[in-house]
């Protein structure tokens, strides 16, 4: 396989550089997933700008767009068989900006600045937890002997979900919840709590295998359901986002109980040499 981005050690004392293989034409299928990732990065950076300009609704919309694109780029890469280490690294850096930096800045400008340095510390904790969560995900080594059911779970809350649920206080304000003197302290504690959930060992639903195969009878109702959900999100965005965040938080104990149930039902590994 040709290497488009070969490794290079800038600290090589002798200054030797690997010979680069010239690639005159690159298939578009190798570029398309990275373009989707870059579009997601543009959405995240735009969210930061909107937050600084106090256009919080538009900033949240950009983060939602980034989350949708983040869910697409990996699937497009696998569908086109164009996964690469370059794409994985770009996706990780993009996720840190979109789901670590952008929500932290939005929350700080929106409310956390009212408690000054403590609010900035909370924003830093959330962003750092997102970075640690992504780094742990990148270095995780798949165990070939891991049971199939573990593929349905993440370790800790994933970064995109963490970014969307940490903005729950902003959704509630758009639903006419008053922004009072205790808003900033509550948001401070809530922001740190969500950051800690991202770096925790709590098993959460991944949804990777959900909907991988659907029966022929479900296809048309599924289309209708997706259209209804999209129309509801566009018509009542704050209701849908707030309800989604609350449902996700409420489902965390259910995911943990499902993990524990699978662990109890899993047969114990046989130890060689114990035969009578």
């Amino acid at each position: 396989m040709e290497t488009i981005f070969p490794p290079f050690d800038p600290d090589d004392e002798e200054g030797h550089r690997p010979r680069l293989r010239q690639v005159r034409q690159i298939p578009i299928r190798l570029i398309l997933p990275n373009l989707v990732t870059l579009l997601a990065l543009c959405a995240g950076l735009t969210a930061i700008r909107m937050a600084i300009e106090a256009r919080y609704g538009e900033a949240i919309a950009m983060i939602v767009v980034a989350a949708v694109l983040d869910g697409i780029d990996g699937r497009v890469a696998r569908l086109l068989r164009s996964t690469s280490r370059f794409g994985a690294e770009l996706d990780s850096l993009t996720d840190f900006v979109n789901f670590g930096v952008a929500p932290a800045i939005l929350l700080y400008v929106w409310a956390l600045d009212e408690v000054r340095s403590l609010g900035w510390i909370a924003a830093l904790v959330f962003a750092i937890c997102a970075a640690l969560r992504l780094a742990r995900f990148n270095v995780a080594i798949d165990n070939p002997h891991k049971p199939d059911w573990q593929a349905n779970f993440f370790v800790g809350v994933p970064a995109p979900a963490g970014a969307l649920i940490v903005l729950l206080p902003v959704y509630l304000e758009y639903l006419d919840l008053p922004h009072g003197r205790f808003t900033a302290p509550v948001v401070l504690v809530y922001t740190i709590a969500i950051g800690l959930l991202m770096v925790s060992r709590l098993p959460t639903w991944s949804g990777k295998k959900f909907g991988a195969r659907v029966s022929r009878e479900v296809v048309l109702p599924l289309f209708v359901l997706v259209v209804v959900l999209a129309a509801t999100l566009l018509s009542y965005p704050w209701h849908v986002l707030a309800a989604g965040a609350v449902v996700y938080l409420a489902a965390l104990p259910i995911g943990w109980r499902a993990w524990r149930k699978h662990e109890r039902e899993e047969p114990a590994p046989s130890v060689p040499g114990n035969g009578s």
Side-chain angles (χ1 to χ4, degrees), residues 108-154:
Y108 179 78
V109 175
W110 174 69
L112 292 178
D113 62 334
E114 298 175 12
V115 288
R116 301 184 181 277
S117 296
L118 289 178
W120 181 243
I121 290 173
L124 287 178
V125 168
F126 179 83
I128 290 172
C129 287
L132 294 175
R133 169 70 177 82
L134 293 166
R136 183 178 67 185
F137 179 81
N138 288 344
V139 301
I141 301 176
D142 291 332
N143 184 359
H145 305 291
K146 183 174 64 175
D148 293 338
W149 60 266
Q150 290 189 10
N152 293 318
F153 295 88
F154 285 126

Side-chain angles (χ1 to χ4, degrees), residues 43-53 59 62-63 97 101-103 105:
L45 293 172
T46 304
I48 295 175
R49 174 197 167 185
M50 298 299 177
I52 294 173
E53 296 177 355
M62 289 295 99
I63 294 176
V97 174
V101 178
I105 292 180

Side-chain angles (χ1 to χ4, degrees), residues 222-247:
L222 181 62
F223 287 162
V224 175
L225 178 61
V226 171
V227 171
V228 170
L229 288 177
T232 305
L233 179 61
L234 293 175
S235 302
Y236 307 98
W238 309 119
H239 296 80
V240 173
L241 291 173
V246 171
V247 170

